[in-house]
mmCIF file of all heavy atoms in Angstrom:
data_model
loop_
_atom_site.group_PDB
_atom_site.id
_atom_site.type_symbol
_atom_site.label_atom_id
_atom_site.label_comp_id
_atom_site.label_asym_id
_atom_site.label_seq_id
_atom_site.Cartn_x
_atom_site.Cartn_y
_atom_site.Cartn_z
ATOM 1 N N VAL Q 1 26.724 50.867 -64.051
ATOM 2 C CA VAL Q 1 26.739 49.485 -64.553
ATOM 3 C C VAL Q 1 26.976 48.507 -63.401
ATOM 4 O O VAL Q 1 26.298 47.472 -63.299
ATOM 5 C CB VAL Q 1 27.797 49.303 -65.666
ATOM 6 C CG1 VAL Q 1 28.000 47.837 -66.010
ATOM 7 C CG2 VAL Q 1 27.381 50.091 -66.902
ATOM 8 N N THR Q 2 27.914 48.829 -62.518
ATOM 9 C CA THR Q 2 28.197 47.947 -61.375
ATOM 10 C C THR Q 2 26.976 47.834 -60.470
ATOM 11 O O THR Q 2 26.589 46.729 -60.073
ATOM 12 C CB THR Q 2 29.417 48.460 -60.584
ATOM 13 O OG1 THR Q 2 30.544 48.514 -61.465
ATOM 14 C CG2 THR Q 2 29.742 47.548 -59.414
ATOM 15 N N ALA Q 3 26.374 48.956 -60.135
ATOM 16 C CA ALA Q 3 25.179 48.932 -59.282
ATOM 17 C C ALA Q 3 24.044 48.169 -59.952
ATOM 18 O O ALA Q 3 23.363 47.357 -59.303
ATOM 19 C CB ALA Q 3 24.742 50.357 -58.949
ATOM 20 N N GLY Q 4 23.850 48.403 -61.237
ATOM 21 C CA GLY Q 4 22.798 47.689 -61.970
ATOM 22 C C GLY Q 4 23.020 46.182 -61.977
ATOM 23 O O GLY Q 4 22.080 45.405 -61.760
ATOM 24 N N MET Q 5 24.261 45.781 -62.223
ATOM 25 C CA MET Q 5 24.562 44.349 -62.213
ATOM 26 C C MET Q 5 24.361 43.749 -60.826
ATOM 27 O O MET Q 5 23.811 42.651 -60.693
ATOM 28 C CB MET Q 5 25.996 44.109 -62.690
ATOM 29 C CG MET Q 5 26.183 44.361 -64.179
ATOM 30 S SD MET Q 5 27.894 44.170 -64.707
ATOM 31 C CE MET Q 5 28.173 42.444 -64.371
ATOM 32 N N MET Q 6 24.792 44.465 -59.803
ATOM 33 C CA MET Q 6 24.636 43.953 -58.441
ATOM 34 C C MET Q 6 23.160 43.811 -58.074
ATOM 35 O O MET Q 6 22.766 42.803 -57.490
ATOM 36 C CB MET Q 6 25.368 44.856 -57.447
ATOM 37 C CG MET Q 6 26.880 44.791 -57.590
ATOM 38 S SD MET Q 6 27.742 45.948 -56.519
ATOM 39 C CE MET Q 6 27.689 45.040 -54.976
ATOM 40 N N ILE Q 7 22.370 44.802 -58.425
ATOM 41 C CA ILE Q 7 20.933 44.752 -58.134
ATOM 42 C C ILE Q 7 20.283 43.579 -58.876
ATOM 43 O O ILE Q 7 19.494 42.825 -58.302
ATOM 44 C CB ILE Q 7 20.258 46.090 -58.475
ATOM 45 C CG1 ILE Q 7 20.713 47.160 -57.482
ATOM 46 C CG2 ILE Q 7 18.740 45.961 -58.501
ATOM 47 C CD1 ILE Q 7 20.373 48.586 -57.893
ATOM 48 N N ALA Q 8 20.634 43.423 -60.144
ATOM 49 C CA ALA Q 8 20.069 42.321 -60.933
ATOM 50 C C ALA Q 8 20.466 40.959 -60.340
ATOM 51 O O ALA Q 8 19.618 40.066 -60.212
ATOM 52 C CB ALA Q 8 20.537 42.416 -62.385
ATOM 53 N N ILE Q 9 21.720 40.819 -59.979
ATOM 54 C CA ILE Q 9 22.189 39.553 -59.396
ATOM 55 C C ILE Q 9 21.465 39.265 -58.087
ATOM 56 O O ILE Q 9 20.989 38.148 -57.861
ATOM 57 C CB ILE Q 9 23.713 39.573 -59.212
ATOM 58 C CG1 ILE Q 9 24.403 39.517 -60.586
ATOM 59 C CG2 ILE Q 9 24.182 38.429 -58.320
ATOM 60 C CD1 ILE Q 9 25.884 39.837 -60.554
ATOM 61 N N LEU Q 10 21.372 40.272 -57.230
ATOM 62 C CA LEU Q 10 20.704 40.079 -55.941
ATOM 63 C C LEU Q 10 19.218 39.786 -56.113
ATOM 64 O O LEU Q 10 18.644 39.003 -55.351
ATOM 65 C CB LEU Q 10 20.922 41.297 -55.041
ATOM 66 C CG LEU Q 10 22.358 41.481 -54.553
ATOM 67 C CD1 LEU Q 10 22.509 42.826 -53.859
ATOM 68 C CD2 LEU Q 10 22.791 40.332 -53.645
ATOM 69 N N ALA Q 11 18.611 40.391 -57.110
ATOM 70 C CA ALA Q 11 17.181 40.158 -57.354
ATOM 71 C C ALA Q 11 16.923 38.774 -57.936
ATOM 72 O O ALA Q 11 15.894 38.159 -57.652
ATOM 73 C CB ALA Q 11 16.620 41.229 -58.289
ATOM 74 N N LEU Q 12 17.847 38.282 -58.738
ATOM 75 C CA LEU Q 12 17.620 37.026 -59.455
ATOM 76 C C LEU Q 12 18.229 35.787 -58.796
ATOM 77 O O LEU Q 12 17.876 34.668 -59.176
ATOM 78 C CB LEU Q 12 18.171 37.145 -60.888
ATOM 79 C CG LEU Q 12 17.492 38.190 -61.761
ATOM 80 C CD1 LEU Q 12 18.231 38.334 -63.079
ATOM 81 C CD2 LEU Q 12 16.033 37.828 -61.987
ATOM 82 N N ILE Q 13 19.096 35.967 -57.825
ATOM 83 C CA ILE Q 13 19.822 34.807 -57.286
ATOM 84 C C ILE Q 13 18.894 33.799 -56.612
ATOM 85 O O ILE Q 13 19.037 32.590 -56.816
ATOM 86 C CB ILE Q 13 20.986 35.227 -56.363
ATOM 87 C CG1 ILE Q 13 21.866 34.015 -56.025
ATOM 88 C CG2 ILE Q 13 20.488 35.892 -55.091
ATOM 89 C CD1 ILE Q 13 22.497 33.331 -57.202
ATOM 90 N N GLN Q 14 17.962 34.246 -55.807
ATOM 91 C CA GLN Q 14 17.094 33.296 -55.108
ATOM 92 C C GLN Q 14 16.205 32.503 -56.073
ATOM 93 O O GLN Q 14 16.130 31.279 -55.958
ATOM 94 C CB GLN Q 14 16.272 33.997 -54.024
ATOM 95 C CG GLN Q 14 17.101 34.428 -52.821
ATOM 96 C CD GLN Q 14 17.862 33.271 -52.176
ATOM 97 O OE1 GLN Q 14 17.410 32.132 -52.115
ATOM 98 N NE2 GLN Q 14 19.057 33.574 -51.678
ATOM 99 N N PRO Q 15 15.527 33.159 -57.026
ATOM 100 C CA PRO Q 15 14.759 32.365 -57.997
ATOM 101 C C PRO Q 15 15.641 31.405 -58.802
ATOM 102 O O PRO Q 15 15.241 30.273 -59.072
ATOM 103 C CB PRO Q 15 14.135 33.423 -58.920
ATOM 104 C CG PRO Q 15 14.132 34.673 -58.133
ATOM 105 C CD PRO Q 15 15.301 34.598 -57.208
ATOM 106 N N LEU Q 16 16.835 31.849 -59.147
ATOM 107 C CA LEU Q 16 17.748 30.989 -59.896
ATOM 108 C C LEU Q 16 18.178 29.782 -59.059
ATOM 109 O O LEU Q 16 18.178 28.642 -59.550
ATOM 110 C CB LEU Q 16 18.980 31.779 -60.349
ATOM 111 C CG LEU Q 16 20.019 31.008 -61.141
ATOM 112 C CD1 LEU Q 16 19.437 30.501 -62.449
ATOM 113 C CD2 LEU Q 16 21.235 31.884 -61.401
ATOM 114 N N LEU Q 17 18.504 30.013 -57.805
ATOM 115 C CA LEU Q 17 18.896 28.906 -56.929
ATOM 116 C C LEU Q 17 17.747 27.929 -56.723
ATOM 117 O O LEU Q 17 17.957 26.715 -56.674
ATOM 118 C CB LEU Q 17 19.397 29.439 -55.578
ATOM 119 C CG LEU Q 17 20.740 30.159 -55.608
ATOM 120 C CD1 LEU Q 17 21.073 30.699 -54.228
ATOM 121 C CD2 LEU Q 17 21.846 29.262 -56.130
ATOM 122 N N HIS Q 18 16.557 28.458 -56.601
ATOM 123 C CA HIS Q 18 15.376 27.601 -56.463
ATOM 124 C C HIS Q 18 15.181 26.757 -57.733
ATOM 125 O O HIS Q 18 14.873 25.563 -57.667
ATOM 126 C CB HIS Q 18 14.135 28.451 -56.178
ATOM 127 C CG HIS Q 18 12.895 27.645 -56.044
ATOM 128 N ND1 HIS Q 18 12.635 26.857 -54.941
ATOM 129 C CD2 HIS Q 18 11.836 27.494 -56.885
ATOM 130 C CE1 HIS Q 18 11.477 26.248 -55.121
ATOM 131 N NE2 HIS Q 18 10.970 26.620 -56.288
ATOM 132 N N TRP Q 19 15.376 27.365 -58.872
ATOM 133 C CA TRP Q 19 15.183 26.695 -60.154
ATOM 134 C C TRP Q 19 16.203 25.580 -60.377
ATOM 135 O O TRP Q 19 15.846 24.493 -60.817
ATOM 136 C CB TRP Q 19 15.251 27.724 -61.277
ATOM 137 C CG TRP Q 19 15.054 27.158 -62.642
ATOM 138 C CD1 TRP Q 19 13.941 26.548 -63.136
ATOM 139 C CD2 TRP Q 19 16.011 27.155 -63.698
ATOM 140 N NE1 TRP Q 19 14.152 26.162 -64.437
ATOM 141 C CE2 TRP Q 19 15.415 26.525 -64.807
ATOM 142 C CE3 TRP Q 19 17.318 27.628 -63.817
ATOM 143 C CZ2 TRP Q 19 16.084 26.360 -66.017
ATOM 144 C CZ3 TRP Q 19 17.964 27.471 -65.022
ATOM 145 C CH2 TRP Q 19 17.346 26.827 -66.100
ATOM 146 N N ILE Q 20 17.484 25.825 -60.055
ATOM 147 C CA ILE Q 20 18.497 24.783 -60.294
ATOM 148 C C ILE Q 20 18.498 23.725 -59.197
ATOM 149 O O ILE Q 20 19.048 22.653 -59.396
ATOM 150 C CB ILE Q 20 19.911 25.371 -60.494
ATOM 151 C CG1 ILE Q 20 20.388 26.117 -59.257
ATOM 152 C CG2 ILE Q 20 19.966 26.234 -61.729
ATOM 153 C CD1 ILE Q 20 21.819 26.572 -59.345
ATOM 154 N N ASP Q 21 17.918 24.064 -58.055
ATOM 155 C CA ASP Q 21 17.734 23.102 -56.963
ATOM 156 C C ASP Q 21 19.023 22.383 -56.567
ATOM 157 O O ASP Q 21 19.096 21.152 -56.561
ATOM 158 C CB ASP Q 21 16.638 22.089 -57.341
ATOM 159 C CG ASP Q 21 16.167 21.289 -56.131
ATOM 160 O OD1 ASP Q 21 16.227 21.836 -55.015
ATOM 161 O OD2 ASP Q 21 15.752 20.126 -56.321
ATOM 162 N N ARG Q 22 20.039 23.156 -56.249
ATOM 163 C CA ARG Q 22 21.301 22.636 -55.741
ATOM 164 C C ARG Q 22 21.553 23.266 -54.370
ATOM 165 O O ARG Q 22 22.061 24.381 -54.284
ATOM 166 C CB ARG Q 22 22.463 22.969 -56.680
ATOM 167 C CG ARG Q 22 22.375 22.344 -58.043
ATOM 168 C CD ARG Q 22 22.950 20.919 -57.997
ATOM 169 N NE ARG Q 22 22.738 20.204 -59.211
ATOM 170 C CZ ARG Q 22 23.613 20.105 -60.187
ATOM 171 N NH1 ARG Q 22 24.780 20.686 -60.086
ATOM 172 N NH2 ARG Q 22 23.326 19.404 -61.258
ATOM 173 N N PRO Q 23 21.231 22.577 -53.301
ATOM 174 C CA PRO Q 23 21.358 23.153 -51.958
ATOM 175 C C PRO Q 23 22.768 23.651 -51.618
ATOM 176 O O PRO Q 23 22.921 24.586 -50.839
ATOM 177 C CB PRO Q 23 20.956 22.007 -51.028
ATOM 178 C CG PRO Q 23 20.149 21.087 -51.877
ATOM 179 C CD PRO Q 23 20.655 21.241 -53.276
ATOM 180 N N ILE Q 24 23.777 23.056 -52.210
ATOM 181 C CA ILE Q 24 25.159 23.465 -51.906
ATOM 182 C C ILE Q 24 25.395 24.931 -52.258
ATOM 183 O O ILE Q 24 26.120 25.637 -51.570
ATOM 184 C CB ILE Q 24 26.195 22.558 -52.612
ATOM 185 C CG1 ILE Q 24 27.612 22.871 -52.122
ATOM 186 C CG2 ILE Q 24 26.157 22.710 -54.101
ATOM 187 C CD1 ILE Q 24 28.150 21.857 -51.202
ATOM 188 N N TYR Q 25 24.733 25.403 -53.333
ATOM 189 C CA TYR Q 25 24.891 26.802 -53.719
ATOM 190 C C TYR Q 25 24.254 27.725 -52.680
ATOM 191 O O TYR Q 25 24.803 28.770 -52.364
ATOM 192 C CB TYR Q 25 24.296 27.057 -55.100
ATOM 193 C CG TYR Q 25 25.035 26.378 -56.220
ATOM 194 C CD1 TYR Q 25 24.345 25.691 -57.209
ATOM 195 C CD2 TYR Q 25 26.420 26.412 -56.307
ATOM 196 C CE1 TYR Q 25 25.018 25.059 -58.253
ATOM 197 C CE2 TYR Q 25 27.105 25.795 -57.334
ATOM 198 C CZ TYR Q 25 26.395 25.116 -58.298
ATOM 199 O OH TYR Q 25 27.057 24.512 -59.326
ATOM 200 N N GLU Q 26 23.116 27.334 -52.188
ATOM 201 C CA GLU Q 26 22.456 28.146 -51.160
ATOM 202 C C GLU Q 26 23.259 28.144 -49.861
ATOM 203 O O GLU Q 26 23.310 29.150 -49.158
ATOM 204 C CB GLU Q 26 21.027 27.647 -50.917
ATOM 205 C CG GLU Q 26 20.112 27.990 -52.074
ATOM 206 C CD GLU Q 26 18.667 27.696 -51.774
ATOM 207 O OE1 GLU Q 26 18.180 28.161 -50.720
ATOM 208 O OE2 GLU Q 26 18.032 27.009 -52.598
ATOM 209 N N GLU Q 27 23.892 27.016 -49.566
ATOM 210 C CA GLU Q 27 24.713 26.927 -48.355
ATOM 211 C C GLU Q 27 25.908 27.874 -48.407
ATOM 212 O O GLU Q 27 26.389 28.325 -47.373
ATOM 213 C CB GLU Q 27 25.216 25.492 -48.166
ATOM 214 C CG GLU Q 27 24.148 24.502 -47.799
ATOM 215 C CD GLU Q 27 24.666 23.062 -47.815
ATOM 216 O OE1 GLU Q 27 25.878 22.864 -47.598
ATOM 217 O OE2 GLU Q 27 23.847 22.158 -48.067
ATOM 218 N N HIS Q 28 26.374 28.148 -49.602
ATOM 219 C CA HIS Q 28 27.559 28.996 -49.761
ATOM 220 C C HIS Q 28 27.245 30.335 -50.419
ATOM 221 O O HIS Q 28 28.113 30.950 -51.030
ATOM 222 C CB HIS Q 28 28.627 28.241 -50.573
ATOM 223 C CG HIS Q 28 29.130 27.023 -49.886
ATOM 224 N ND1 HIS Q 28 29.956 27.084 -48.789
ATOM 225 C CD2 HIS Q 28 28.907 25.706 -50.130
ATOM 226 C CE1 HIS Q 28 30.223 25.866 -48.380
ATOM 227 N NE2 HIS Q 28 29.592 25.008 -49.174
ATOM 228 N N ILE Q 29 26.037 30.817 -50.235
ATOM 229 C CA ILE Q 29 25.601 32.076 -50.845
ATOM 230 C C ILE Q 29 26.468 33.253 -50.386
ATOM 231 O O ILE Q 29 26.636 34.224 -51.115
ATOM 232 C CB ILE Q 29 24.099 32.348 -50.571
ATOM 233 C CG1 ILE Q 29 23.585 33.517 -51.432
ATOM 234 C CG2 ILE Q 29 23.857 32.663 -49.109
ATOM 235 C CD1 ILE Q 29 23.329 33.135 -52.840
ATOM 236 N N VAL Q 30 27.038 33.145 -49.207
ATOM 237 C CA VAL Q 30 27.892 34.222 -48.697
ATOM 238 C C VAL Q 30 29.064 34.490 -49.649
ATOM 239 O O VAL Q 30 29.529 35.626 -49.759
ATOM 240 C CB VAL Q 30 28.388 33.915 -47.259
ATOM 241 C CG1 VAL Q 30 29.378 32.764 -47.243
ATOM 242 C CG2 VAL Q 30 28.993 35.153 -46.624
ATOM 243 N N LEU Q 31 29.510 33.477 -50.367
ATOM 244 C CA LEU Q 31 30.601 33.672 -51.327
ATOM 245 C C LEU Q 31 30.173 34.620 -52.447
ATOM 246 O O LEU Q 31 30.982 35.411 -52.941
ATOM 247 C CB LEU Q 31 31.066 32.336 -51.903
ATOM 248 C CG LEU Q 31 31.686 31.360 -50.891
ATOM 249 C CD1 LEU Q 31 31.961 30.021 -51.557
ATOM 250 C CD2 LEU Q 31 32.936 31.942 -50.272
ATOM 251 N N LEU Q 32 28.918 34.550 -52.835
ATOM 252 C CA LEU Q 32 28.408 35.462 -53.858
ATOM 253 C C LEU Q 32 28.476 36.904 -53.366
ATOM 254 O O LEU Q 32 28.887 37.799 -54.113
ATOM 255 C CB LEU Q 32 26.970 35.114 -54.233
ATOM 256 C CG LEU Q 32 26.292 36.119 -55.164
ATOM 257 C CD1 LEU Q 32 26.950 36.112 -56.540
ATOM 258 C CD2 LEU Q 32 24.810 35.841 -55.261
ATOM 259 N N TYR Q 33 28.089 37.136 -52.127
ATOM 260 C CA TYR Q 33 28.094 38.492 -51.594
ATOM 261 C C TYR Q 33 29.508 39.066 -51.566
ATOM 262 O O TYR Q 33 29.729 40.234 -51.894
ATOM 263 C CB TYR Q 33 27.437 38.539 -50.221
ATOM 264 C CG TYR Q 33 26.018 38.018 -50.238
ATOM 265 C CD1 TYR Q 33 25.556 37.158 -49.257
ATOM 266 C CD2 TYR Q 33 25.135 38.367 -51.261
ATOM 267 C CE1 TYR Q 33 24.263 36.670 -49.279
ATOM 268 C CE2 TYR Q 33 23.840 37.878 -51.298
ATOM 269 C CZ TYR Q 33 23.410 37.042 -50.302
ATOM 270 O OH TYR Q 33 22.128 36.553 -50.340
ATOM 271 N N TRP Q 34 30.473 38.243 -51.180
ATOM 272 C CA TRP Q 34 31.866 38.689 -51.201
ATOM 273 C C TRP Q 34 32.327 38.937 -52.638
ATOM 274 O O TRP Q 34 33.062 39.895 -52.904
ATOM 275 C CB TRP Q 34 32.776 37.689 -50.507
ATOM 276 C CG TRP Q 34 32.694 37.795 -49.015
ATOM 277 C CD1 TRP Q 34 32.030 36.961 -48.171
ATOM 278 C CD2 TRP Q 34 33.269 38.810 -48.195
ATOM 279 N NE1 TRP Q 34 32.167 37.411 -46.869
ATOM 280 C CE2 TRP Q 34 32.922 38.533 -46.867
ATOM 281 C CE3 TRP Q 34 34.054 39.940 -48.467
ATOM 282 C CZ2 TRP Q 34 33.332 39.339 -45.800
ATOM 283 C CZ3 TRP Q 34 34.465 40.735 -47.406
ATOM 284 C CH2 TRP Q 34 34.104 40.436 -46.094
ATOM 285 N N ALA Q 35 31.900 38.096 -53.564
ATOM 286 C CA ALA Q 35 32.269 38.283 -54.972
ATOM 287 C C ALA Q 35 31.698 39.605 -55.508
ATOM 288 O O ALA Q 35 32.363 40.300 -56.295
ATOM 289 C CB ALA Q 35 31.784 37.110 -55.820
ATOM 290 N N LEU Q 36 30.517 39.966 -55.082
ATOM 291 C CA LEU Q 36 29.943 41.248 -55.488
ATOM 292 C C LEU Q 36 30.763 42.408 -54.924
ATOM 293 O O LEU Q 36 30.963 43.426 -55.597
ATOM 294 C CB LEU Q 36 28.486 41.355 -55.044
ATOM 295 C CG LEU Q 36 27.513 40.408 -55.744
ATOM 296 C CD1 LEU Q 36 26.121 40.520 -55.127
ATOM 297 C CD2 LEU Q 36 27.472 40.660 -57.239
ATOM 298 N N GLY Q 37 31.248 42.255 -53.714
ATOM 299 C CA GLY Q 37 32.140 43.267 -53.134
ATOM 300 C C GLY Q 37 33.419 43.410 -53.932
ATOM 301 O O GLY Q 37 33.883 44.531 -54.194
ATOM 302 N N VAL Q 38 33.974 42.280 -54.343
ATOM 303 C CA VAL Q 38 35.176 42.302 -55.180
ATOM 304 C C VAL Q 38 34.884 43.029 -56.487
ATOM 305 O O VAL Q 38 35.675 43.872 -56.940
ATOM 306 C CB VAL Q 38 35.688 40.866 -55.459
ATOM 307 C CG1 VAL Q 38 36.759 40.867 -56.534
ATOM 308 C CG2 VAL Q 38 36.211 40.223 -54.185
#
């Protein structure tokens, strides 16, 4: 379940960020990667 969720998040994050068009989220994408580690 953890691996599946991580794969889904990593696969969908870029299209989602493009869709919401908020550059601040892309600037801080590294926080997402750390959150996935947590």
Side-chain angles (χ1 to χ4, degrees):
V1 170
T2 301
M5 289 177 64
M6 291 175 80
I7 290 167
I9 290 167
L10 291 171
L12 297 173
I13 190 60
Q14 288 304 325
L16 180 63
L17 290 177
H18 179 73
W19 181 63
I20 62 173
D21 194 29
R22 296 275 172 96
I24 188 105
Y25 293 134
E26 288 189 52
E27 290 172 27
H28 296 288
I29 191 77
V30 69
L31 296 174
L32 173 67
Y33 303 136
W34 282 103
L36 292 175
V38 169

